[in-house]
């Protein structure tokens, strides 16, 4: 099954905590602190791999977590770095940050990789906190937090040329006779329910041709297969617009031509402006001398677009179409359309979180609660058996203004202050 969209939850590894340790060996003078640093947490990395064709795997597994960093050890030994989690996706996959809807990266080359969630930094051991005044620090730094986020994976096929048109006009037949692809061909709507790719060989040259599922009126709003497959046209440079010129489905060829182009433009103006060639397909049913074909050709030519009478199963006109396509493709490569401006997701929010230092105070029943990201890290680093470490925690809370805020809420001596899973009784030292 071809799956081209998935939403997953990723979690990087937490940094290992620094160690609190003191060297105590017989006959070793001046032992002192020797706690080592914690290891960095593992990153979550997406990597494009040409051996993958679909996002099927992400339908069944939606949560991915990298390994945490190992805690530091005595004798100044560093904790082991958490192993990175490498998630392989098909070439052509976009990674989108779900909350903001902004693009993080577009993986268009085999082997291209991207760190979507950085692992937390390892905390420093107590060896790093010794100085001339504090010669026996009895505390260490907690490891950095992991990063959690939802991401949307969106696959867009990589093709040079796209086949577009209403259902059952002969696109799959065209692909079958011009490439070695074996698309399903039947006489009913939506035979193609997934993009089919094939390589066209012409004049010692080659290009990738994609058969896009049939477009109907209202596709830009998601009607029919709609938006699900319109997005696959975005990467193509040239379009081959296949029209049933015989009107065998009871539709007018000129109306078909206009409706498809209108849908392309309404979906994306850049897609609507792509150079195209028109295949007046099923010409064997009416002949090139018919008034219906001449009227259609005149109308399309007036738009500045070439028309080629074709019959895919009989291979009529196929060579002329491929020659013209190759010429148009070369022109498109030499004169590329300007790339649209993309508002990328700012990955620096992981390193420079403006909310990181804030402390939030609130009252919960008869308890007073303090919360905050940096507060949580300092709290996790606190040694409650060490007066200096406890004093540092209190001074940090006091300097932030959180204590004044709690007092304004009605905090009195004997009340309970809750920090995460711990509760303390407040008393006024003054």
């Amino acid at each position: 099954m071809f799956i081209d969209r998935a939403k997953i939850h990723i979690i990087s590894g937490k940094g290992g905590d620094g160690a609190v340790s003191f060297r105590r060996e017989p006959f070793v003078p001046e032992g002192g602190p020797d706690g080592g640093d914690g290891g960095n947490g593992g990153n979550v990395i997406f990597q494009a791999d040409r051996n993958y064709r679909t996002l099927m795997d992400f339908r069944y597994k939606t949560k991915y977590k990298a390994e945490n960093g190992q805690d530091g050890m005595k004798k100044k030994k560093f904790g082991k770095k958490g192993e990175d989690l490498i998630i392989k996706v098909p070439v052509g996959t976009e990674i989108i940050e779900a909350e903001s809807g902004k693009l993080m990266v577009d993986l268009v080359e085999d082997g291209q990789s991207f760190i979507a969630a950085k692992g937390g930094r390892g905390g420093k051991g107590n060896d790093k906190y010794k100085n001339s005044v504090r010669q026996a620090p009895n505390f260490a730094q907690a490891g950095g937090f992991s990063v959690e986020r939802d991401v949307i994976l969106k696959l867009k096929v990589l093709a040079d040329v796209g086949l577009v048109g209403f259902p059952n006009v002969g696109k799959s037949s065209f692909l079958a006779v011009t490439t070695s692809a074996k698309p399903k061909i039947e006489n009913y709507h939506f035979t193609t329910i997934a993009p089919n790719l094939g390589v066209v060989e012409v004049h010692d040259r080659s290009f990738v041709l994609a058969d896009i599922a049939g477009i109907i009126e209202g596709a830009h709003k998601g009607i029919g297969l709609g938006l699900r497959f319109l997005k696959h046209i975005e990467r193509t440079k040239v379009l081959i617009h296949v029209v049933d010129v015989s009107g065998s489905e009871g539709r007018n060829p000129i109306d078909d031509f206009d409706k498809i182009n209108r849908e392309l433009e309404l979906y994306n103006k850049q897609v609507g402006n792509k150079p195209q060639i028109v295949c007046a397909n099923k010409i064997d049913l009416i002949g090139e001398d018919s008034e219906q074909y001449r009227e259609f050709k005149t109308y399309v030519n007036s738009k500045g677009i070439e028309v080629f009478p074709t019959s895919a199963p009989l291979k009529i006109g196929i060579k002329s179409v491929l020659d013209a396509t190759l010429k148009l493709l070369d022109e498109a490569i030499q004169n590329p359309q300007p790339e649209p401006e993309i508002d990328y997701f700012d990955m620096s929010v992981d390193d420079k979180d403006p909310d990181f230092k804030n402390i939030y105070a609130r009252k919960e029943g008869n308890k007073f609660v303090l919360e905050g990201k940096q507060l949580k890290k300092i709290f996790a680093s606190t040694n409650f058996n060490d007066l200096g470490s406890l004093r540092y925690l209190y001074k940090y809370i006091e300097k932030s203004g959180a204590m004044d805020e709690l007092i304004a809420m009605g905090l009195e001596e004997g009340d309970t202050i809750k920090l995460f899973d711990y509760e303390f009784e407040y008393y006024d030292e003054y």
Side-chain angles (χ1 to χ4, degrees):
M1 183 182 295
F2 181 79
I3 303 296
D4 57 3
R5 190 181 189 280
K7 183 177 181 180
I8 63 174
H9 187 72
I10 59 174
I11 309 171
S12 65
K14 176 189 174 298
D17 296 335
V20 176
S21 174
F22 292 91
R23 189 176 183 185
R24 294 185 179 91
E25 297 180 34
F27 314 114
V28 178
E30 301 178 1
D34 71 345
D37 298 347
N40 293 336
N43 301 315
V44 177
I45 302 173
F46 286 97
Q47 185 177 73
D49 190 322
R50 63 184 179 186
N51 296 312
Y52 289 75
R53 293 285 182 270
T54 174
L55 299 174
M56 169 69 81
D57 292 346
F58 303 103
R59 168 170 283 194
Y60 304 105
K61 182 180 178 182
T62 58
K63 186 175 181 179
Y64 295 81
K65 187 181 186 309
E67 187 178 40
N68 291 336
Q70 186 181 22
D71 293 343
M73 295 167 281
K74 60 184 180 179
K75 295 185 179 180
K76 301 180 184 179
K77 291 182 179 179
F78 285 73
K80 179 184 176 185
K81 180 186 181 301
E83 188 173 344
D84 292 338
L85 175 63
I86 299 177
I87 304 174
K88 294 190 175 182
V89 295
V91 177
T93 300
E94 292 181 338
I95 313 296
I96 299 167
E97 202 275 330
E99 186 177 356
S100 66
K102 292 183 178 181
L103 180 67
M104 300 176 76
V105 68
D106 191 0
L107 300 172
V108 295
E109 297 180 6
D110 183 43
Q112 182 182 353
S113 61
F114 174 77
I115 299 176
K118 292 182 180 179
R121 292 182 181 178
K124 296 176 182 179
N126 69 333
D127 174 65
K128 294 292 195 302
Y129 290 98
K130 66 182 179 182
N131 54 41
S132 59
V133 177
R134 188 195 299 121
Q135 297 188 14
N138 201 23
F139 58 90
Q141 185 183 39
F145 300 119
S146 60
V147 173
E148 293 191 41
R149 60 168 49 103
D150 290 324
V151 296
I152 295 170
L153 311 181
K154 189 183 293 186
L155 174 60
K156 295 180 182 178
V157 299
L158 295 173
D160 301 302
V161 180
L163 287 168
V164 298
F166 271 91
N168 207 27
V169 295
K171 299 188 302 297
S172 295
S173 298
F174 186 94
L175 182 74
V177 300
T178 56
T179 73
S180 58
K182 304 296 181 185
K184 183 179 180 181
I185 302 172
E186 298 286 351
N187 188 29
Y188 57 81
H189 290 326
F190 300 118
T191 304
T192 303
I193 58 173
N196 291 310
L197 298 178
V199 178
V200 177
E201 304 282 350
V202 55
H203 303 307
D204 297 324
R205 300 273 303 282
S206 66
F207 60 83
V208 178
L209 179 65
D211 172 19
I212 309 299
I215 301 170
I216 62 174
E217 195 168 9
H220 72 281
K221 297 179 181 178
I223 297 176
L225 296 177
L227 299 175
R228 182 180 174 190
F229 290 120
L230 273 172
K231 65 174 179 275
H232 293 294
I233 304 172
E234 291 181 32
R235 297 193 194 276
T236 60
K237 298 180 180 67
V238 174
L239 301 178
I240 297 178
H241 188 164
V242 183
V243 179
D244 177 4
V245 75
S246 73
S248 63
E249 295 284 315
R251 299 189 306 267
N252 183 291
I254 292 177
D255 288 344
D256 280 7
F257 170 80
D258 284 339
K259 285 176 180 177
I260 292 297
N261 281 319
R262 190 178 304 118
E263 289 301 319
L264 295 178
E265 187 169 354
L266 288 172
Y267 169 70
N268 184 314
K269 283 190 176 182
Q270 193 171 31
V271 170
N273 290 330
K274 288 183 182 292
Q276 67 175 262
I277 291 170
V278 171
C279 284
N281 203 34
K282 303 186 182 181
I283 192 64
D284 54 307
L285 300 181
I286 60 172
E288 293 183 43
D289 296 328
S290 66
E291 182 178 347
Q292 185 168 319
Y293 170 68
R294 290 199 302 270
E295 182 182 353
F296 176 76
K297 178 179 172 63
T298 300
Y299 179 79
V300 176
N301 285 161
S302 70
K303 305 289 185 181
I305 299 173
E306 285 190 275
V307 178
F308 295 88
T310 60
S311 175
L314 301 178
K315 298 185 179 181
I316 295 173
I318 299 300
K319 183 178 181 302
S320 298
V321 172
L322 296 182
D323 288 344
T325 301
L326 191 60
K327 180 182 177 183
L328 210 57
L329 186 58
D330 286 340
E331 292 175 359
I333 293 172
Q334 292 172 8
N335 303 289
Q337 288 182 310
E339 291 292 331
E341 291 188 9
I342 299 174
D343 185 13
Y344 282 94
F345 178 72
D346 184 6
M347 291 297 295
S348 68
V349 297
D350 292 341
D351 301 318
K352 301 176 182 178
D353 186 349
D355 189 49
F356 184 73
K357 293 184 178 181
N358 293 337
I359 297 181
Y360 297 96
R362 60 186 173 86
K363 191 172 182 181
E364 189 177 271
N366 60 348
K367 298 176 183 178
F368 295 83
V369 181
L370 293 177
E371 296 173 320
K373 294 180 180 179
Q374 187 171 25
L375 173 63
K376 186 174 183 179
K377 185 173 182 180
I378 293 175
F379 184 80
S381 304
T382 301
N383 181 351
F384 293 96
N385 295 315
D386 181 81
L387 187 59
S389 183
L390 274 170
R391 187 180 293 113
Y392 180 82
L393 172 65
Y394 179 77
K395 289 295 183 184
Y396 169 74
I397 296 173
E398 188 178 47
K399 285 181 180 179
S400 71
M403 293 305 301
D404 293 337
E405 195 172 345
L406 289 180
I407 291 171
M409 290 180 183
L411 177 68
E412 296 179 350
E413 192 163 347
D415 287 340
T416 300
I417 298 177
K418 183 179 179 182
L419 271 72
F420 310 105
D421 295 330
Y422 293 82
E423 296 182 354
F424 305 88
E425 185 177 331
Y426 170 71
Y427 70 93
D428 189 346
E429 62 180 336
Y430 301 107

